[in-house]
Amino acid sequence: MTKTLIRFKAKLFRPAESETAGSWTFLVLPKNASAKLPSRGMTAIEGTINGFVFQATLEPDGQKSHWLKVDRKLSEAAGADAGDTVTLEIAPAGKETEPEVPVDLRKALAAAAPKTRTVWSDITPNARRDWIHWITSAKQAETRTRRIKNACSMLAAGKRRVCCFDRSGFYDKSLSAPKAATSDE
């Protein structure tokens, strides 16, 4: 069975607020391209951007679509920068990509009860991604710390998924595409 490629063009934007300005760009998928994906939530994909092969995870934009973070390395390989329109061919990934675990969560998991680590390693990459996103979507450091502690406790109790977490961001808007920087030139 061959994968159905989703083909589209999208403009790269620079995020308005980023501690590392200039290190990444992003694009928002057209709604018709996003609608062809298997999930409104985070979705692992593989494909090409301007002909360069890559794998990534699309994030929900809170508008029933997705956005893609394009790091500097991928942007340079694709020969594109903020303001450019790029051509993409994507398909859902054959295998889910492992999410990057933030340092504070990684340390908490290492210090947690063995049951916590067992459940964490047994859940799917998508479930781990949900836990990570729930933690990192906290706006205040105290909330993030509390969520890490609660996550370890819930995992130790055998809980495999974050309760009441809207993976699409459509209802609570905790998930959204970054705001694009505006140029006043």
Side-chain angles (χ1 to χ4, degrees):
M1 184 172 138
T2 59
K3 290 184 182 184
T4 302
L5 285 179
I6 303 166
R7 294 176 177 89
F8 61 94
K9 292 183 183 227
K11 186 174 181 178
L12 287 177
F13 296 98
R14 182 141 343 271
E17 296 178 20
S18 172
E19 298 87 40
T20 52
S23 67
W24 60 282
T25 56
F26 72 96
L27 60 87
V28 177
L29 275 69
K31 289 203 184 299
N32 63 343
S34 186
K36 296 176 184 174
L37 293 165
S39 170
R40 297 287 62 83
M42 289 178 263
T43 304
I45 59 156
E46 52 194 22
T48 62
I49 179 169
N50 282 356
F52 182 79
V53 175
F54 75 102
Q55 289 185 325
T57 300
L58 297 174
E59 299 276 346
D61 73 351
Q63 304 295 314
K64 296 190 178 179
S65 189
H66 294 87
W67 67 278
L68 172 67
K69 180 177 181 177
V70 180
D71 65 24
R72 178 180 284 152
K73 184 177 174 183
L74 180 55
S75 183
E76 288 173 357
D81 201 359
D84 294 345
T85 297
V86 292
T87 302
L88 289 99
E89 289 188 349
I90 62 169
K95 184 178 181 224
E96 288 184 69
T97 56
E98 260 319 306
E100 186 174 330
V101 181
V103 174
D104 51 355
L105 176 58
R106 192 171 37 238
K107 286 180 180 176
L109 289 168
K115 170 78 175 175
T116 303
R117 292 190 301 277
T118 300
V119 173
W120 179 259
S121 63
D122 189 50
I123 60 178
T124 66
N126 219 20
R128 284 191 284 276
R129 195 171 288 109
D130 284 349
W131 284 103
I132 291 166
H133 210 97
W134 175 64
I135 290 164
T136 59
S137 66
K139 292 187 178 15
Q140 297 181 357
E142 303 84 42
T143 304
R144 182 177 173 128
T145 301
R146 187 174 57 251
R147 285 184 182 179
I148 289 172
K149 183 179 176 194
N150 290 343
C152 289
S153 176
M154 288 186 275
L155 288 161
K159 187 164 180 140
R160 302 172 66 80
R161 289 278 186 178
V162 179
C163 167
C164 311
F165 183 65
D166 171 23
R167 297 184 80 231
S168 73
F170 189 70
Y171 297 101
D172 67 12
K173 303 298 184 224
S174 67
L175 305 175
S176 64
K179 300 284 184 241
T182 56
S183 58
D184 297 319
E185 291 128 19

